[in-house]
């Protein structure tokens, strides 16, 4: 038998008349004729279908069609037959073209061409007819007949081959290969045609290499259940499916037909799910910390290792296999070059070499794909368990620990540090793998170059040592970069939480400059980090050249002959060695970064928890005493000399109502905290019997539905639920809301009024049906009527048999208590019933006295009003009421627009990432001017690299006895010159790329943050801060550190691939032809894959925000969560969110391996074909050295081909971060801050008159109207009180005055200036407000009072004295520089409110707005604030929203709002005359309640 042998021997000597039946020309001619017939039939069918479609029948028919059993297998078989015949055709053509053409050869070649076309046509036909699903269960009759006929002819041809071989007739090998292949494929097609797959049957081939779609129906579903309800097919996939990643087929096929959503993505396997993996990790960590000394970095590493040790060992084995297989190529190159040079050891040595190369490639590909997949799987698991651990820890932190760790820092542990530990799994095996690779490389070099291998080893060690100082520098810069990022994220988080107050005060641009200042510090470290990285990159790109220079120089010095085969083997070895050496800096950098992250996580996990022994919990019903404190001393700071609470003795029996009162800062809230176990105990005992529920002073509301907030993890009991809603007067509010109790609440309850938030909190506590209830002044944020109702229905009604402790500033609620505790300076100064303690001490008398004083003012107004004559009845009030009602009518008409939730689901782009995103990215810095330089540097680098290798291969002799073309010195000098040129190019490339990347990241940051800070308040109301923080943290990190290198890597990989194709085609141009179908197939695969991968990557981004959101909400509500004993539910919820985030992460990684496996197979086959072709060419036609160079480069082909596609996909996945940043860089902004052409006068507003004309307001176009046609005038210099039920529109009116919300219709005019016509800062900086939620920022007392740095110290002290905080601040060590912690948590709520008063006293505006300004303070402090305001704002327009009637009763005018319309507007005296007026009823009720 001979390869592509002569056909002359086939002419047989027999004289029978049937000789022609045995001749190849007949067989190939007959086969060609049949395939022409098949082509004609396919063409006819295509034309018929086109006609039908034109007539409108085709579309209906297609809708009726269904998935044919075995469809994908038959499609794959037809494709393989077509591809096989293309390869045979090319091989035959290349060989026969050199030896002349005969009739037999032409017929055979025609047969191959027609077979390729016919089977390709069958593929297309199958795809068009059956890719959509229908009722048909079998292939068409004619197609099945054809397949049977094809199998028969193939069998006949094979029998002829065997007969000829038995007669010792020589036949070309491709005939035998072709016939064996045809029989196998023909037999497979017969099975497909005549044995359809039964319903529900599963086989090994059920998930073929192409994909494994199991969809049913027109809508793509992954199974009968939605993907989200099924466990990933990976869990129960067969061996073949696992090896080839075919189990990913259904998901990729689904993504190709529709946009994937989270419910399409299957659930994780139990071992990968955080719910399954976390308990194992926690047990391992506890076992590692058996002595209880706290979590150290080493213990954390042990816990992580043992929770995934099987996978880590398996990946280690795969790395070993991959490394050994990758060195098979360099080891065999010298032998291959000698074989091409004619030095052959035995027959068929060439085939054996090709087989060895091919098998080594297959092992390398399979082990690499599986290694990467398993490493990513481990990474996802480890990251998830660490996040769960951090989350659980954040729920148990003590208050001191919390003060040292802000929420921004804790979120960074999760978003950055845990993520980095997960990413480290990629680099886990690199340290020992480098040692193994260097050892194998030295053995190969020693075999080829003898002692020169020692020089190579020394040079390699030098290169590695050069990395140590760079690694240390990088570690230092990385740590500083992380710390500066922490600070920035902390500030960003705080600003986003308080954006409303910043906008009201006109401070947002000042705080933006503060964040940009923090970013500038971060950028300083980022710049150092990336430039150090550039030097590292340069050193390691030139490392192989440096090592090869040292090695070849030593060879010449020692007189070791340099032959082209040995040089090529050495070059291939250096090339493979380049990867671990090049990755070494990344590995060291990653090890350093991971150690920093593990240290940070371990130090966080070591922080002190809440004292476990602070409280003794007694079994429910075991004691008559609900709460008992004996000699209790408690302190927020254990190191502080003065305890927060001293000598506390308290005994509360079951069913008692206990009221706690006292002045601001007396320790009331701290007493509740001590009962909850939140306040560290210094001494004494605390016992608690029964379950507890807590209502904090600052409402903590979760984002989600109102119903979920009330149920708070309990099952729905409709009767109890309705009772609770009724008691908390929530039914009316729910009727107003478009979606009732299904309305989604924005972050921190942003779309609810203060009173609604408070009542939802109370409802949540009531629904829990606890034994002990702790209320921290819950009635302060609701109006008088609602407060009375709540007290009566809740405390005296539903909770009449429960133990209740309530803090209150409202004296009217004290008489109902069984026990009143009066607090002062952290002590209980008085305790007893109302009447008993009224006479026994000054503290309580002082509180009651302040209350009575306020009531007497109320009585005097009432008395004054009743003594007035009734002659002015037709005055303004009646008109105003009429106007209000008219406004209401018009409002109703306007309110017919569409309704929608305020918080919409996070928007994600769909479909392909637009070219515009890439274009914007590359042209952001210097208009893209640096991009051509980066590309040119890489092209030149590639040319010099190939040139130097080409030079070494050409200029060295093929064997020891051949004469070298040039001398040794010339050989080395030219190589050195080319090496220096390539080093210069790679250095310039590194610098250009990093400069462009750094500048782009900086500009993207500035643009996004400017847009966010200039966004209207609606954006912050409807966007949870987690989404913004995700972009400022994760996406910005990607722009800083990943994306420039991803884009660069893509360009470099494409240029390298083109270089390899050029080198391989140079050896034999015919090889170029095989690249065309292979690259086409690669592009098709990439296109097929990318639609799923892109959406999965976007889902990863979208699913991350809820995790961060839940995290930040939990940190701020940890006290509430603990008080309800709900830690385990929240931990479970966090795990569910984590799994939802990990599902797309796991599947996006698996999809990448699915693609890379197929590309690896294609490139391995291409490489094998190239080798097969090189050994088939007769000796002497091709230069063995150049052929060897082609093989040297070809060894990298599969890696590079996969790398090109991987970088394309990875770049598209990463560029989504830029897409997300750009999304927030185009938010519609608020109107201009300053309008130069229309600036108001410096003295404006000079009178402070506010005229409102037909004002209509809605929060968003899809939301209902909140204010419906208000018309009124607030006279200048007078005090106007604004009252009304919760949710009546009081706060909305104030927000419209400050243009936080712009009117839908109507206008507000202040002193003749329409506020919509001037700049926002011109308006907001001229008005003052004391907001409902008193806000303080982290910093100092000075920075909180005067963030814009406009006032002197004297002015600030004066303001502090006026607001009664002067002495408090003077007693602090730092005076004005005294620190304020995050959210002002080291100041009481009342003190924070006084700081807000201090701000307005400094500002001295003509118009002052008080929005529930005294809700959080006791009556005495309220009186003090009112007196201060009267003195210092006597000539100003003061608008007061208040629930305490005493705060508005002495106003000049009162505006009463109801459901967004004006119900009444007149002086208090006039309104009180009419006893039926709503205001009079409100006052009467308050008076009655308070007496």
């Amino acid at each position: 038998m001979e390869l592509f042998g002569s056909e002359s021997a086939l002419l047989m000597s027999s004289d029978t008349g049937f000789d022609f039946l045995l001749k190849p020309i007949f067989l190939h001619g007959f086969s060609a004729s049949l395939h022409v017939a098949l082509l004609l039939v396919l063409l006819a069918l295509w034309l018929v279908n086109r006609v039908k479609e034109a007539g409108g029948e085709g579309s209906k028919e297609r809708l009726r069609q269904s998935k044919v059993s075995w469809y994908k297998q038959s499609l794959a078989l037809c494709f393989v037959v077509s591809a096989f015949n293309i390869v045979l055709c090319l091989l035959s053509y290349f060989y026969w073209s050199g030896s002349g053409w005969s009739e037999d050869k032409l017929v055979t070649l025609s047969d191959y061409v027609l077979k390729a076309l016919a089977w390709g046509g069958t593929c297309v036909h199958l795809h068009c007819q059956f890719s959509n699903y229908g009722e048909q269960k079998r292939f068409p009759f004619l197609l099945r007949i054809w397949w049977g006929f094809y199998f028969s002819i193939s069998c006949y041809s094979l029998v002829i081959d065997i007969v000829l071989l038995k007669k010792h007739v020589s036949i070309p090998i491709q005939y035998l290969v072709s016939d064996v292949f045809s029989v196998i494929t023909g037999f497979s097609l017969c099975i497909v045609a005549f044995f359809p797959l039964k319903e529900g049957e599963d086989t090994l081939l059920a998930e073929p290499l192409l994909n494994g779609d199991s969809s049913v129906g027109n809508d793509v579903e992954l199974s009968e259940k939605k993907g989200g309800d099924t466990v990933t097919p990976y869990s129960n996939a067969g061996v073949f499916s696992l090896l080839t990643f075919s189990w990913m087929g259904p998901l990729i096929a689904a993504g190709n037909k529709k946009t994937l959503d989270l419910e399409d993505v299957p659930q994780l396997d139990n071992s990968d799910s955080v719910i399954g993996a976390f308990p194992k990790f926690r047990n391992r960590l506890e076992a590692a910390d058996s002595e209880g000394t706290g979590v150290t970095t080493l213990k954390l590493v042990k816990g992580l290792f043992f929770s995934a040790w099987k996978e880590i060992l398996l990946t280690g084995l795969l790395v070993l296999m991959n490394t050994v297989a990758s060195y098979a190529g360099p080891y065999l190159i010298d032998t291959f070059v000698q074989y091409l040079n004619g030095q052959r050891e035995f027959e068929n040595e060439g085939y054996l070499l090709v087989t060895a190369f091919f098998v080594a490639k297959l092992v390398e590909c399979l082990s690499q794909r599986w290694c990467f997949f398993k490493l990513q799987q481990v990474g996802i698991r480890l990251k998830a368990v660490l996040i769960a651990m951090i989350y659980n820890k954040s729920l148990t932190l003590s208050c001191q620990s919390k003060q040292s760790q802000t929420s921004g820092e804790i979120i960074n542990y999760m978003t950055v540090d845990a993520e980095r530990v997960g990413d480290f799994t990629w680099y886990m095996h690199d340290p020992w793998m480098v040692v193994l690779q260097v050892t194998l490389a030295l053995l190969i070099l020693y075999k080829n170059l003898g002692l020169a291998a020692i020089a190579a080893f020394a040079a390699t060690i030098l290169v590695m040592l050069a990395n140590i100082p760079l690694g240390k520098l990088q570690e230092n810069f990385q740590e500083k970069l992380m710390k500066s990022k922490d600070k920035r994220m902390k500030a960003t988080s705080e600003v986003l939480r308080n954006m409303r107050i910043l906008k009201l005060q006109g401070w947002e641009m000042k705080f933006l400059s503060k964040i940009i200042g923090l970013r500038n510090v971060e950028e300083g470290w980022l710049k150092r980090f990336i430039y150090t990285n550039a030097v590292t990159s340069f050193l390691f790109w030139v490392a192989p050249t440096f090592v090869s220079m040292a090695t070849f120089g030593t060879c010449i010095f020692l007189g070791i002959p340099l032959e082209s085969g040995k040089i090529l083997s050495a070059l291939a070895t250096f090339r493979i060695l380049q990867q671990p050496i090049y990755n070494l800096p990344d590995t060291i950098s990653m090890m350093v970064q991971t150690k920093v992250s593990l240290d940070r996580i371990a130090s966080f996990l070591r922080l002190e928890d809440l004292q476990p022994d602070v409280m003794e919990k007694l079994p429910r019903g075991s004691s008559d005493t609900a709460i008992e404190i004996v000699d209790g001393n408690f302190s927020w700071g254990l190191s502080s000399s003065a305890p927060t609470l001293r000598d506390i003795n308290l005994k509360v029996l079951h069913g008692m109502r206990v009221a706690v009162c006292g002045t601001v800062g007396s320790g009331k809230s701290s007493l509740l905290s001590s009962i909850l176990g939140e306040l560290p105990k210094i001494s004494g005992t605390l016992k608690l019997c029964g379950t507890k529920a807590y209502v904090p002073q600052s409402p903590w509301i979760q984002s989600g539905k109102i119903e979920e907030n009330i149920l708070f993890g309990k099952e729905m009991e409709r009767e109890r639920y309705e009772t609770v809603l009724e008691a908390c007067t929530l039914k009316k509010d729910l009727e107003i809301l478009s979606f009732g109790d299904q309305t989604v609440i924005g972050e921190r309850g942003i779309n609810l009024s203060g009173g609604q938030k408070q009542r939802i909190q109370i409802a949540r506590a009531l629904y829990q049906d606890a034994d002990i209830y702790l209320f921290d002044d819950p009635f302060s944020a609701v109006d008088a009527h609602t407060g009375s109702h709540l007290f009566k229905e809740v405390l005296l009604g539903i909770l009449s048999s429960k133990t209740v402790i309530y803090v209150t500033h409202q004296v009217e609620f004290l008489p109902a208590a069984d026990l009143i505790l009066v607090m002062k300076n952290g002590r209980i100064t008085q305790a007893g019933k109302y009447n008993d303690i009224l006479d026994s001490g000054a503290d309580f008398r002082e509180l009651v006295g302040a209350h009575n004083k306020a009531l007497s003012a109320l009585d005097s107004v009432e008395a004054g009003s009743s003594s007035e004559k009734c002659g002015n009845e037709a005055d303004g009030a009646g008109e105003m009421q009429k106007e209000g009602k008219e406004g209401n009518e018009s409002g109703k008409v306007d309110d017919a627009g569409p309704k929608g939730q305020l918080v919409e689901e996070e928007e994600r782009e769909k479909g392909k990432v637009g070219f515009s995103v890439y274009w914007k990215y590359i042209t952001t810095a210097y208009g893209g001017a640096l991009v051509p330089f980066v590309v040119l540097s890489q092209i030149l680098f590639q040319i010099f690299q190939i040139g130097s290798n080409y030079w070494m291969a050409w200029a060295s002799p093929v064997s020891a006895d051949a004469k070298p073309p040039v001398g040794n010195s010339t050989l080395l000098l030219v190589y050195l010159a080319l090496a220096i040129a390539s080093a210069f190019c790679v250095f310039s490339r590194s610098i250009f790329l990093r400069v462009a990347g750094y500048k782009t990241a900086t500009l993207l940051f500035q643009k996004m943050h400017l847009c966010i800070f200039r966004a209207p308040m609606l954006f912050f109301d409807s966007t949870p801060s987690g989404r913004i923080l995700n972009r400022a943290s994760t996406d910005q990190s990607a722009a800083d550190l990943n994306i420039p290198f991803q884009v660069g890597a893509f360009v470099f990989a494409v240029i390298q691939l083109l270089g390899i194709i050029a080198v391989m085609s140079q050896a034999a141009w015919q090889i170029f032809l095989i690249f065309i179908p292979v690259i086409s197939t690669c592009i098709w695969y990439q296109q097929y894959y990318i639609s799923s991968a892109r959406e999965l990557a976007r889902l990863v981004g979208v699913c991350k925000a809820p995790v961060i959101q839940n995290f930040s909400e939990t940190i701020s509500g940890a006290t509430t969560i603990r008080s309800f004993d709900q830690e385990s539910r929240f931990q479970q919820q966090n795990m569910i969110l984590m799994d939802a985030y990990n599902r797309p992460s796991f599947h996006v990684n698996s999809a990448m391996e699915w693609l890379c496996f197929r590309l690896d197979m294609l490139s391995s086959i291409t490489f094998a074909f190239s080798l097969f072709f090189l050994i088939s060419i007769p000796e002497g036609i091709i230069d063995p050295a150049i052929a060897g160079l082609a093989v040297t480069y070809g060894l990298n082909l599969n890696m590079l081909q996969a790398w090109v596609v991987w970088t394309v996909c990875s770049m598209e996945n990463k560029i989504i971060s830029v897409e997300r940043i750009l999304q927030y860089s185009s938010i519609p902004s608020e109107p201009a801050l300053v309008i130069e052409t229309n600036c108001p006068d410096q003295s404006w507003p000079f009178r402070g008159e506010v005229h409102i004309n037909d004002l209509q307001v809605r929060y968003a176009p899809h939301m209902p109207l909140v204010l419906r046609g208000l018309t009124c005038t607030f006279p200048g210099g007078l005090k106007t009180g604004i009252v009304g039920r919760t949710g009546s529109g009081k706060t909305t009116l104030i927000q419209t005055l400050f243009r936080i919300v712009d009117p839908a219709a109507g206008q507000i005019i202040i002193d003749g200036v329409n506020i919509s016509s001037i700049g926002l800062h011109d308006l907001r900086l001229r008005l003052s407000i004391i907001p409902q939620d008193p806000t303080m920022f982290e910093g100092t007392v000075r920075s909180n009072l005067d963030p814009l740095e406009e006032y002197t110290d004297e002015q600030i002290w004066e303001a502090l004295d006026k607001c009664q905080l002067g002495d408090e601040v003077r007693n602090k060590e730092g005076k004005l520089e005294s620190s304020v912690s995050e959210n002002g948590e080291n100041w009481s709520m009342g003190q924070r409110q006084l700081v807000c008063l201090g701000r307005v006293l400094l500002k001295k505006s003509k118009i002052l707005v008080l929005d529930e300004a005294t809700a959080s303070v006791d009556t005495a402090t309220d009186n003090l604030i009112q007196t201060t305001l009267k003195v210092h704002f006597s000539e100003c327009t003061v608008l007061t929203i208040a629930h305490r009637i005493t705060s508005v009763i002495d106003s000049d005018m009162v505006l009463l709002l109801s459901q967004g319309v004006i119900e009444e507007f007149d002086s208090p005296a006039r309104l009180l005359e009419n006893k039926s007026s709503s205001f009079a009823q409100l006052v009467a009720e308050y008076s009655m309640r308070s007496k």
Side-chain angles (χ1 to χ4, degrees), residues 734-870:
L734 296 180
E735 283 165 17
I736 295 167
L737 294 168
S738 311
F739 294 87
D741 64 0
Q742 298 304 304
T743 301
V744 175
I745 301 174
E747 193 177 11
R748 301 186 310 282
I750 209 120
N751 47 338
L752 298 173
S753 73
Q756 287 169 329
K757 284 189 269 191
Q758 198 63 275
R759 283 181 290 128
I760 286 171
Q761 275 210 122
I762 296 169
R764 175 173 67 205
L766 288 183
Y767 194 80
Q768 296 300 305
D769 195 24
D771 301 320
I772 300 165
Y773 282 83
L774 306 173
F775 291 96
D776 194 353
D777 199 13
F779 310 114
S780 61
V782 294
D783 58 75
H785 169 77
T786 310
S788 299
H789 179 90
L790 284 172
F791 188 76
K792 187 176 162 195
E793 294 296 323
V794 175
L795 265 74
L796 305 181
I798 293 180
L799 301 181
S800 57
S801 61
K802 305 281 186 182
T803 309
V804 181
I805 298 183
Y806 60 99
V807 169
T808 184
H809 290 128
Q810 281 130 307
V811 175
E812 59 269 24
F813 293 142
L814 297 177
D818 301 318
L819 175 68
I820 298 171
L821 305 176
V822 182
M823 303 281 301
K824 189 169 186 181
N825 298 328
R827 282 198 166 99
I828 297 174
T829 54
Q830 290 175 269
K833 282 196 171 280
Y834 185 84
N835 292 325
D836 299 341
I837 61 171
L838 191 57
D839 307 322
S840 64
D843 296 332
F844 188 60
R845 218 174 20 250
E846 196 181 306
L847 286 169
V848 175
H851 176 66
N852 291 336
K853 186 179 167 191
L855 278 177
S856 64
L858 186 67
D859 291 339
S860 66
V861 173
E862 280 187 292
S865 69
S866 57
S867 64
E868 276 187 23
K869 301 233 182 319
C870 302

Side-chain angles (χ1 to χ4, degrees), residues 3 16 54 65 85 92 167 286 313 374 537 546 647 886 888 1081 1237 1290 1307 1351 1389-1390 1425:
L3 180 67
T16 58
Q65 283 178 342
N85 280 287
S92 303
K167 291 186 177 182
E286 283 168 3
L313 291 180
K374 295 305 280 183
S537 172
F546 171 70
D647 309 324
E886 283 169 5
N888 186 10
T1081 311
T1237 54
K1290 306 185 293 291
Q1307 56 187 11
Y1351 304 103
M1389 194 79 142
I1425 291 174

Side-chain angles (χ1 to χ4, degrees), residues 47-64:
L47 286 169
V48 167
N49 281 338
R50 295 293 289 175
V51 171
K52 276 187 178 178
E53 278 177 19
E57 294 173 24
S59 56
K60 290 178 191 171
E61 181 60 35
R62 185 157 296 182
L63 285 173
R64 287 200 302 270

